[in-house]
Amino acid sequence: MPAQNMEELVSLCKRRGFIFQGSEIYGGLQGFYDYGPLGVELKNNIKAAWWRSNVYERDDMEGLDASIIMHRMVLKHSGHEATFSDPMVDNRKTKKRYRLDHLVKEQKPAVQQAVADAMEQPLDNFPALVQALVKKPAQASAALISAGVRDAFSGEVGDWTEPKPFNMMFKTTIGPTADEDSYGYLRPETAQGIFTNFKNVVDSTSRRLPFGIAQIGKAFRNEITPRNFIFRVRELEQMEIEFFCTPGTDEDWHAHWLEKRLSWWEAQGVPRSKIEILDVPPEDLAHYSKRTYDLMYDYPTLGHEEIEGIANRSDYDLGSHTKSQSELGLVASVEENNDSIAKLTIPHPETNKPVVPFVIEPSAGVDRALLAVMSEAFTKETLENGSERIVLKLKPHLAPIKVAVIPLARNREEITTVARAIKADLQSLGLGRVLYEDSGNIGKAYRRHDEVGTPFCVTVDFDTVGLGGEGKVSDPALLNTVTVRDRDTLAQERVQIGELNAWIRSRLV
Ligand SMILES: Nc1ncnc2c1ncn2[C@@H]1O[C@H](COP(=O)(O)OP(=O)(O)OP(=O)(O)O)[C@@H](O)[C@H]1O
């Protein structure tokens, strides 16, 4: 059974070294997390699985790694300077700041209803209520106060300001000069680096439509209220595809990617039954979107929240960043661009005339993926002897440690020499991390490896090396064999050392 609440996951992550609070020894920095020894492995494995499936296993995809800090013109013409904001309100009493929609959503139902009544909106259309609050700031401030909206910090009804937009981009100065214009932005999504490199990729690879560009990388959002562990952070990582196609074929490609992405999640251990597909209603669509499916995973404690968005962005992005916009017959309504020096077109596959392609964008968060994968893998079992074990039933390709090699006696050279040789041999298979594990007694080692999801533990004992141990005579039939313990079934099998590589490989690949 998957994790029942977020606390179980948070506690395991910290205890076993998956995730730590960022800048912790100075009191921590809200919305920033550090991935520890096991977290970095799990994260790398998720990213590798995504790259394998979306780049290597397709013939219509290229990869990219664009820079994080971008020219401010990129974020001006992408629309982020003007619109990448969330509505915020301040409590004049506590000086605390909240994201408006989060604040209202966390109130008791009667209070929410009172806000809706004061704004003359039905409560069952929450996005419309938030829009009304944003559009009528003076009425909104009065409504929040009269409805008795409480500040979670003080527990008391707040003295709420008018909502106003808060731009979530991180701005930074560039170079040694401090003049007004020498600043750029940390990208709030990886996508813009793909659009700005569209021409470079087309020219250097001779790609024709349809094809896609994939990128994995950090993005930064100054979230007003980062929360829920790594679910909403200020420094995040995204796995994004911009898939360029001929206008008119976009709806079919949108359906294609929805299907592809759901089956990818399934292969990572996140079943379809736990993902709701939200066909975002037109009034809630982002300004660039023709249609968007949000994949809403059922997170423990949080309920259904977005793990991935799959948007049909029409020709908005390339249309916004291209020069000569008026000649190109754009479908999307874009702001005028007199700064770009590139024409972002590609020959139409049938007419050969220049066309601005439509874009389908599957965009998934690595941090939210890791949380979902861990949540699904998390299992509490009661064993036959009545004891409880926690086991992370990760798909083997995602497991941070593939095999732990355990010498039964860590101060018997005959045993440790063989164990080290086995570790080196297994490591050379290139399946991922193999750990030489001599940190404690075998029972504790097994428990630890259950909790971090290691699929196999290989134990080298006295019989392996033909020694009698603990008052026993060595069994000659066991010479040059090791015990392999299976994480999920707990079955223990004796395997010849000479056959071990093939045995492990066949079960991990
Ligand atoms: N603050 C964040 N922390 C962690 N992951 C994020 C964050 N913001 C976005 N993501 C991830 O990036 C993906 C694509 O970003 P997108 O802009 O579509 O998110 P969003 O609609 O702004 O998300 P939300 O509505 O939850 O703020 C999301 O599906 C999510 O997995």
Side-chain angles (χ1 to χ4, degrees):
M1 190 188 278
Q4 296 303 293
N5 58 62
M6 196 64 94
E7 286 69 45
E8 286 180 328
L9 288 180
V10 175
S11 145
L12 176 68
C13 283
K14 167 108 199 190
R15 191 167 70 246
R16 294 301 185 191
F18 282 89
I19 299 169
F20 310 119
Q21 175 69 60
S23 307
E24 192 172 353
I25 64 166
Y26 290 102
L29 198 54
Q30 223 197 339
F32 297 90
Y33 285 90
D34 299 339
Y35 286 81
L38 296 176
V40 65
E41 298 290 342
L42 177 53
K43 206 175 181 206
N44 283 343
N45 293 341
I46 292 172
K47 292 190 281 184
W50 186 90
W51 196 263
R52 211 167 36 241
S53 155
N54 292 298
V55 182
Y56 297 161
E57 290 172 9
R58 296 182 65 105
D59 298 318
D60 55 3
M61 197 70 83
E62 301 289 348
L64 183 77
D65 184 14
S67 67
I68 285 172
I69 295 180
M70 305 193 85
H71 198 296
R72 70 188 184 90
M73 282 303 143
V74 175
L75 282 317
K76 174 182 175 211
H77 290 292
S78 66
H80 285 84
E81 265 192 352
T83 63
F84 193 62
S85 54
D86 276 335
M88 65 172 186
V89 283
D90 291 328
N91 180 357
R92 295 188 194 90
K93 286 187 199 155
T94 61
K95 309 274 179 255
K96 293 281 165 196
R97 177 165 283 181
Y98 294 93
R99 200 171 124 174
L100 174 67
D101 51 338
H102 290 171
L103 177 73
V104 177
K105 199 145 226 171
E106 280 159 12
Q107 301 299 312
K108 292 198 169 129
V111 176
Q112 290 188 31
Q113 189 60 57
V115 175
D117 292 346
M119 297 306 294
E120 295 159 34
Q121 292 287 328
L123 185 56
D124 54 9
N125 188 348
F126 193 74
L129 171 59
V130 175
Q131 267 183 23
L133 288 162
V134 171
K135 281 196 187 128
K136 298 176 186 162
Q139 191 182 342
S141 161
L144 297 177
I145 296 168
S146 69
V149 168
R150 286 178 191 275
D151 182 337
F153 179 75
S154 63
E156 288 169 13
V157 175
D159 182 7
W160 301 108
T161 60
E162 296 183 2
K164 53 176 188 256
F166 172 77
N167 193 294
M168 289 191 289
M169 283 197 293
F170 284 96
K171 210 176 188 182
T172 188
T173 50
I174 299 172
T177 52
D179 68 83
E180 286 276 286
D181 288 335
S182 50
Y183 69 87
Y185 293 108
L186 275 67
R187 62 184 180 196
E189 59 180 20
T190 66
Q192 296 307 321
I194 298 182
F195 300 130
T196 53
N197 279 290
F198 174 74
K199 193 168 156 41
N200 288 332
V201 175
V202 170
D203 290 352
S204 58
T205 62
S206 308
R207 281 284 177 188
R208 311 270 297 176
L209 291 180
F211 79 98
I213 304 178
Q215 176 166 225
I216 300 177
K218 294 263 180 160
F220 299 81
R221 299 180 176 191
N222 198 2
E223 296 276 356
I224 300 168
T225 38
R227 55 178 62 202
N228 297 324
F229 194 38
I230 53 168
F231 179 82
R232 187 172 299 285
V233 286
R234 288 178 166 142
E235 176 174 336
L236 54 133
E237 204 159 0
Q238 292 182 313
M239 307 181 279
E240 294 197 302
I241 294 163
E242 307 303 327
F243 193 83
F244 303 99
C245 60
T246 315
T249 64
D250 50 301
E251 290 178 13
D252 288 346
W253 281 111
H254 201 192
H256 165 92
W257 279 108
L258 174 62
E259 190 48 39
K260 279 278 166 208
R261 296 302 305 141
L262 286 167
S263 65
W264 184 82
W265 284 111
E266 185 108 46
Q268 314 317 312
V270 182
R272 286 176 191 228
S273 58
K274 294 290 288 288
I275 296 178
E276 246 172 49
I277 302 165
L278 175 70
D279 191 351
V280 178
E283 63 273 19
D284 297 340
L285 286 174
H287 58 284
Y288 52 74
S289 174
K290 177 175 163 189
R291 187 172 188 180
T292 295
Y293 299 119
D294 280 347
L295 305 189
M296 311 292 283
Y297 169 70
D298 191 6
Y299 285 97
T301 306
L302 312 183
H304 287 96
E305 291 285 352
E306 181 180 327
I307 191 169
E308 171 161 1
I310 306 173
N312 181 341
R313 297 176 72 123
S314 72
D315 56 5
Y316 175 83
D317 303 281
L318 294 179
S320 294
H321 286 303
T322 188
K323 68 172 187 179
S324 315
Q325 290 165 314
S326 57
E327 300 164 14
L328 300 174
L330 297 172
V331 174
S333 114
V334 298
E335 296 288 321
E336 190 176 341
N337 186 336
N338 295 315
D339 301 305
S340 171
I341 54 170
K343 205 173 194 179
L344 302 181
T345 59
I346 190 168
H348 189 290
E350 281 142 32
T351 64
N352 233 17
K353 291 205 178 111
V355 63
V356 178
F358 267 40
V359 170
I360 305 299
E361 178 197 68
S363 169
V366 179
D367 314 84
R368 290 187 190 180
L370 188 141
L371 199 54
V373 161
M374 276 193 95
S375 168
E376 285 302 318
F378 187 94
T379 313
K380 250 188 208 166
E381 285 177 356
T382 308
L383 301 178
E384 274 172 16
N385 65 9
S387 67
E388 188 175 76
R389 83 162 178 149
I390 292 178
V391 50
L392 216 47
K393 294 193 172 175
L394 292 167
K395 297 276 182 192
H397 70 279
L398 296 180
I401 299 168
K402 306 300 177 196
V403 184
V405 181
I406 308 172
L408 197 60
R410 60 178 151 173
N411 43 17
R412 292 297 293 262
E413 210 186 321
E414 303 91 324
I415 292 180
T416 56
T417 306
V418 172
R420 284 199 188 276
I422 290 175
K423 186 253 142 146
D425 226 24
L426 286 171
Q427 191 61 67
S428 71
L429 294 177
L431 298 171
R433 187 163 194 204
V434 177
L435 192 76
Y436 180 77
E437 170 70 77
D438 66 350
S439 58
N441 76 34
I442 184 124
K444 280 197 180 141
Y446 283 160
R447 266 188 55 176
R448 177 165 51 252
H449 284 286
D450 282 347
E451 278 201 15
V452 305
T454 308
F456 298 108
C457 287
V458 170
T459 304
V460 179
D461 59 18
F462 290 89
D463 286 321
T464 310
V465 294
L467 287 174
E470 293 154 11
K472 285 193 296 182
V473 180
S474 164
D475 180 348
L478 300 182
L479 188 64
N480 291 329
T481 66
V482 288
T483 304
V484 186
R485 174 185 180 269
D486 183 298
R487 175 195 73 193
D488 297 343
T489 64
L490 296 177
Q492 302 206 9
E493 194 175 321
R494 220 53 212 193
V495 178
Q496 287 285 339
I497 293 177
E499 288 164 13
L500 189 61
N501 278 5
W503 194 99
I504 293 283
R505 186 202 284 278
S506 68
R507 285 159 179 83
L508 283 183
V509 178

